[in-house]
Amino acid sequence: MEIDLTPKLAKQVYGGNGGSYHAWCPNELPMLRQGNIGAAKLALEKNGFALPHYCDSARVAYVLQGSGVAGIVLPEKEEKVVAIKKGDGIALPFGVVTWWYNKEDTELVVLFLGDTSKGHKAGEFTNFFLTGANGIFTGFSTEFVSRAWDLDENTVKTLVGKQTGKGIVKLDANAKLPEPKKEHRDGMAFNCEEAPLDVDIKNGGRVVLLNTKNLPLVGEVGCGADLVRLDGKAMCSPGFSCDSALQVTYIVRGSGRAQIVGPDGKRVLETTVKAGNLFIVPRFYVVSKIADPDGLAWFSIITTPNPIFTHLAGSIGTWKSLSPSVLEAAFNVPSDVEKQFRSKRANEAIFFPPPN
C-alpha cells in the first residue's frame, strides 16, 4: 500500500482566549504513524499561559515567531526560567515539565517535533497537565490528594478546582511570573538564526545544525535538527539520510518545489511546499527542493542526534568519489561524457545558485 507523503497543515486541537494548540493528524499524514513521529504547534496570544505539563514523548521545540518565557523542570532538577525568541531550538527530554508564557503583543508560536515510539499513540503527542480542568489531580479523590499534599480537603478542593481553564489560559495583565535568568539559557536553548553557519553557499543557501555539540540535551531527545535557508531560485542537492533516519520537515518561510524519489526510481512526491506545511521523507528516500523567487526556509528534525547525509550532486557528492571507469560502466557512456559530468558542480556543495 502506498503511503501519502503530501504536505499537510496542522489543525487546532484546543484553545481559547489565551491561545491555541494545533497538531498534525496521523490519519491525514500517515507517515507520522508509520515513522512514530509527532508534530504540533503552540500559539500564545498576549498574556497567554500554557499550564504546566509533561509529554509522553521526547521533543525538539523551535520558536517560529515572537518571544516569551519558558519554564523547564528536568526530572529531579530545579526550575529553569528561560527567555525564548524566534529561532530558538530547545531540547525537551522525557519527563520534563514545561510551562510557556507570552507577555508581548506579537503572537508566540512554538513548533514541537519528536519521536512517539514510546508514547501512548503512534504519531501523536499526549500531554499530561498538572493543573486545570483536565489536570491530573482532578482524577484523584480528594482524600488521596489531601494525603499526598498534607492539606485539608477544603484547601485541596480549591487548588484542584479553582483553575477552570484547559491547557491554555489568559492571565491578567498584572500577573507576575518568574523573570527569566540569563544563565538558565546555557545548555537549554540555542538560537539557530544567530549561530555561526555550518554551511554558507553564496546565492545558494545556509545551514545551522542543532546537535549534541551545541545543545547536549539533544542526545537525550534522540533527534538532531537543522535550519536551512535557501535563496531565491536556488536548489538543494538531491540527498538522503544514510543512517536510516527519517527526516521531518516544517516549512518556516517562503515556498518552492519538492520531489522525493524512492525504490526503483519511482517519484513518490512532486509538490509545491509553502509556509506551515509539514512533510516527511522516508528512510533512504532521496529528496530535493528548488526555492521560488522569494526563497525557502525549513526546520527539520532527523531521528538521530548527529545525522549524516549523502549528497548525490555537487562537489561533495558520491559521484566525485567513484572512479571514472566505474561511472562509465554504470552510466554506459564513453569517457568524454563521464568527464563532462564529473567537471560540473566542481566547486558547489549542497546548494546550487539559480542558472544564469
Side-chain angles (χ1 to χ4, degrees):
M1 182 177 178
E2 293 185 357
I3 294 292
D4 183 9
L5 300 179
T6 307
K8 295 292 193 299
L9 298 171
K11 292 188 175 180
Q12 182 171 322
V13 179
Y14 60 84
N17 291 336
S20 54
Y21 181 83
H22 306 251
W24 281 266
C25 176
N27 291 333
E28 294 185 356
L29 195 58
M31 273 301 300
L32 289 173
R33 182 179 291 112
Q34 181 167 317
N36 264 311
I37 297 295
K41 283 197 297 187
L42 173 68
L44 294 179
E45 304 291 341
K46 184 174 183 179
N47 298 318
F49 178 54
L51 298 173
H53 62 280
Y54 61 93
C55 184
D56 66 349
S57 303
R59 299 165 295 165
V60 172
Y62 181 73
V63 182
L64 296 168
Q65 176 181 299
S67 61
V69 180
I72 303 172
V73 182
L74 295 169
E76 308 299 325
K77 303 288 185 180
E78 293 186 356
E79 179 186 54
K80 301 277 190 179
V81 183
V82 181
I84 59 173
K85 62 181 180 179
K86 181 175 178 288
D88 275 350
I90 306 160
L92 303 173
F94 281 110
V96 64
V97 172
T98 64
W99 55 263
W100 309 79
Y101 177 57
N102 179 24
K103 60 181 178 180
E104 306 297 336
D105 292 331
T106 301
E107 186 179 47
L108 172 65
V109 183
V110 184
L111 174 72
F112 299 94
L113 302 172
D115 180 359
T116 64
S117 60
K118 297 181 180 179
H120 285 271
K121 300 176 183 178
E124 296 182 53
F125 296 136
T126 300
N127 291 323
F128 294 81
F129 288 90
L130 303 189
T131 66
N134 59 342
I136 291 295
F137 288 94
T138 62
F140 283 102
S141 67
T142 304
E143 176 196 0
F144 268 58
V145 181
S146 178
R147 288 279 301 272
W149 292 352
D150 192 23
L151 293 170
D152 64 80
E153 293 195 357
N154 286 334
T155 302
V156 165
K157 289 178 180 178
T158 299
L159 284 169
V160 173
K162 185 72 172 177
Q163 178 55 269
T164 58
K166 286 185 177 182
I168 299 170
V169 299
K170 189 180 182 78
L171 299 183
D172 184 85
N174 297 319
K176 298 292 184 182
L177 291 183
E179 290 295 324
K181 296 182 179 180
K182 186 176 181 180
E183 62 270 22
H184 283 184
R185 271 187 67 89
D186 296 341
M188 300 301 300
F190 180 81
N191 193 277
C192 297
E193 293 191 354
E194 298 176 353
L197 299 171
D198 292 286
V199 177
D200 185 9
I201 307 296
K202 185 178 180 181
N203 299 322
R206 292 155 297 286
V207 180
V208 171
L209 301 176
L210 187 66
N211 53 32
T212 56
K213 293 181 180 179
N214 47 39
L215 195 61
L217 276 176
V218 164
E220 295 186 35
V221 173
C223 294
D226 59 22
L227 175 66
V228 181
R229 288 164 283 186
L230 200 59
D231 291 333
K233 298 185 179 181
M235 181 183 193
C236 182
S237 165
F240 65 94
S241 172
C242 57
D243 43 14
S244 76
L246 289 166
Q247 185 177 359
V248 186
T249 299
Y250 175 85
I251 305 300
V252 174
R253 177 186 57 80
S255 61
R257 292 177 291 146
Q259 292 185 356
I260 300 176
V261 176
D264 299 319
K266 184 177 181 180
R267 189 185 308 155
V268 295
L269 180 69
E270 180 171 13
T271 190
T272 296
V273 293
K274 60 183 180 179
N277 280 159
L278 183 92
F279 68 99
I280 300 174
V281 181
R283 292 178 173 89
F284 299 112
Y285 282 46
V286 178
V287 61
S288 183
K289 309 177 191 75
I290 297 178
D292 285 341
D294 291 334
L296 180 66
W298 63 88
F299 182 80
S300 295
I301 66 162
I302 303 91
T303 54
T304 182
N306 298 293
I308 302 172
F309 285 92
T310 292
H311 295 278
L312 299 177
S315 60
I316 62 171
T318 299
W319 303 119
K320 306 296 184 184
S321 300
L322 291 170
S323 304
S325 59
V326 170
L327 292 186
E328 290 171 24
F331 282 127
N332 191 24
V333 296
S335 61
D336 60 325
V337 176
E338 188 280 331
K339 289 177 181 177
Q340 181 184 12
F341 172 70
R342 184 179 293 274
S343 68
K344 297 297 183 179
R345 304 290 188 203
N347 299 310
E348 297 171 335
I350 305 179
F351 302 125
F352 311 136
N356 296 326

